[in-house]
Amino acid sequence: MYQTFFKLAFTRMDPERAHHLAFRWIRLAASVPVLRTFIAAALAPRHRELRTEALGLRMHGPFGLAAGFDKNAVAIDGLTMLGFDHIEIGTVTALAQPGNPKKRLFRLLPDRALINRMGFNNEGSAAVAQRLAERRPAFRSVVGVNIGKTKIVPEAEATADYVTSTERLARHADYLVVNVSSPNTPGLRNLQATESLRPLLSAVREAADRTVTDRRVPLLVKIAPDLADDDIDAVADLAVELGLDGIIATNTTISREGLVSDPSLTAETGGLSGAPLKERSLAVLRRLYARVGDRITLVGVGGIEDAEDAWQRILAGATLIQGYSAFIYQGPFWSRAVHKGLAARLAASPYATLAEAVGAGARDASARKESAA
């Protein structure tokens, strides 16, 4: 039914307008107690075997919604109602900003992909912090907060900008993510270089510890799929050195390789997400796991469309997985289908628990190599 509606209605509508319309419906449904309970029962059935512990947190399962969908923390209950095990809000910047000029979101239907150059449009960390402080959750959910650099702030002052957001938001976050990998804020990706990333992450860690004294707020960094392999290794080593809690792999790509959509669309600037990102994001995840093993939590995101994609990320080393673009294409039953498929794959596997499956593919490959040698 959703596919028909998507083709007849949403594809005829500007993508950003369609997003806001769907978002409004989700929020409205979640505001009605009886309705949200009914929807959650239908779309978010729990599978006990998928229960996940990560980042010191207990979750109903490993499958969450990536940052970018709910930038201002206005629909956490609605998105939890649809079955996501954790919701990552943002990206939030220290100062409110409108983002880049419209039109800035594009559907690549034949590629099952999106291009966006939103530019961190959000209400700013003070407003989002106040909303989170006043929130009265209808459902138990894990909320991550993704923070980025304000566009007008010079690169040399980026650390102070991130610290401001950290001081405002850390107490309201189940975990924090430092986003240095969006292609839509000038100079942002330069911060992925370890000489810039080390002082930035250290300062954010210190700010979170200073602001929240009754618990440790887990800190992760989100990286781009376009990093060279040596740079991926360097970020992995830095994360271990600094005691980071995790790495999210990956953000959107600036690559346009292999696309079949209309060249007028593929030529649009911005970050590409969706199915074309699948192989590279999986390769980055495998490289990270080979480097860090179980020492930190890896979050797999990028091109995840179904339960098989999610399962492959788990086998490659991801404890948590996230999606975004396929949600646009597959609709409200997507999370339910992913959970059902994951539970079936776990039951058919040799692994007793989901935690046992994490990284099993990498370990099996290593064992085969040793045996062959």
Side-chain angles (χ1 to χ4, degrees):
M1 185 171 65
Y2 175 80
Q3 295 299 329
T4 301
F5 182 79
F6 181 83
K7 290 177 182 177
L8 294 178
F10 279 165
T11 57
R12 300 170 185 266
M13 196 181 299
D14 173 77
E16 190 169 352
R17 181 168 174 263
H19 172 86
H20 288 304
L21 179 62
F23 209 46
R24 194 175 303 122
W25 290 341
I26 292 170
R27 294 173 62 187
L28 180 62
S31 70
V32 181
V34 174
L35 181 58
R36 72 185 176 222
T37 300
F38 175 79
I39 293 174
L43 301 185
R46 302 304 182 187
H47 298 266
R48 293 177 61 89
E49 64 270 35
L50 297 183
R51 288 181 179 176
T52 299
E53 290 193 17
L55 306 172
L57 304 166
R58 293 182 178 179
M59 307 183 197
H60 291 298
F63 188 50
L65 184 64
F69 197 90
D70 187 358
K71 296 177 181 295
N72 294 304
V74 297
I76 294 169
D77 280 331
L79 295 166
T80 304
M81 174 187 73
L82 296 182
F84 293 104
D85 301 312
H86 64 277
I87 313 295
E88 191 169 308
I89 66 157
T91 295
V92 183
T93 54
L95 301 177
Q97 55 186 29
N100 291 322
K102 299 178 182 179
K103 187 175 180 179
R104 54 193 182 181
L105 180 63
F106 308 88
R107 298 189 201 95
L108 281 62
L109 296 175
D111 292 298
R112 306 186 309 280
L114 301 171
I115 291 176
N116 92 82
R117 53 171 179 265
M118 304 299 289
F120 290 168
N121 54 310
N122 73 105
E123 296 174 6
S125 56
V128 173
Q130 182 175 350
R131 182 170 295 119
L132 289 171
E134 295 172 352
R135 178 173 173 258
R136 298 296 178 264
F139 301 104
R140 184 177 73 84
S141 57
V142 169
V143 179
V145 179
N146 184 302
I147 58 174
K149 185 181 81 68
T150 305
K151 185 175 181 178
I152 62 171
V153 170
E155 189 177 326
E157 300 172 19
T159 295
D161 191 63
Y162 279 92
V163 165
T164 296
S165 292
T166 301
E167 291 172 341
R168 291 170 177 167
L169 291 163
R171 62 175 54 87
H172 309 297
D174 290 313
Y175 68 87
L176 272 175
V177 180
V178 171
N179 185 351
V180 287
S181 50
S182 169
N184 300 318
T185 296
L188 185 72
R189 286 190 168 194
N190 295 338
L191 298 176
Q192 292 178 112
T194 52
E195 60 269 21
S196 300
L197 194 56
R198 177 180 280 102
L200 170 59
L201 293 174
S202 297
V204 170
R205 178 73 270 166
E206 291 170 5
D209 291 342
R210 182 174 64 249
T211 304
V212 184
T213 58
D214 59 341
R215 64 184 175 97
R216 174 182 164 82
V217 181
L219 179 62
L220 299 85
V221 63
K222 187 169 186 175
I223 65 172
D226 308 311
L227 285 176
D229 286 348
D230 287 348
D231 293 326
I232 293 169
D233 293 344
V235 171
D237 293 345
L238 180 63
V240 172
E241 174 193 331
L242 296 181
L244 256 61
D245 299 276
I247 300 174
I248 300 180
T250 63
N251 211 321
T252 58
T253 181
I254 58 174
S255 171
R256 299 294 186 265
E257 185 178 351
L259 298 181
V260 298
S261 295
D262 190 312
S264 65
L265 281 176
T266 62
E268 294 287 353
T269 59
L272 175 75
S273 62
L277 196 54
K278 189 175 303 189
E279 293 305 319
R280 178 55 184 167
S281 290
L282 182 55
V284 172
L285 177 64
R286 285 173 173 153
R287 189 170 189 93
L288 286 169
Y289 188 77
R291 197 78 175 184
V292 303
D294 299 322
R295 289 178 289 177
I296 61 176
T297 297
L298 298 179
V299 184
V301 57
I304 294 175
E305 298 185 278
D306 54 28
E308 180 60 24
D309 293 333
W311 181 243
Q312 291 304 318
R313 301 303 168 97
I314 290 169
L315 295 178
T319 301
L320 300 176
I321 45 181
Q322 295 179 343
Y324 182 142
S325 298
F327 184 31
I328 308 301
Y329 285 105
Q330 300 192 36
F333 287 89
W334 180 48
S335 181
R336 172 179 172 154
V338 170
H339 282 94
K340 183 178 180 181
L342 273 178
R345 282 161 175 77
L346 178 61
S349 78
Y351 313 115
T353 65
L354 204 59
E356 190 178 315
V358 172
R363 293 192 297 272
D364 289 348
S366 177
R368 286 193 297 271
K369 285 183 180 179
E370 290 180 4
S371 177

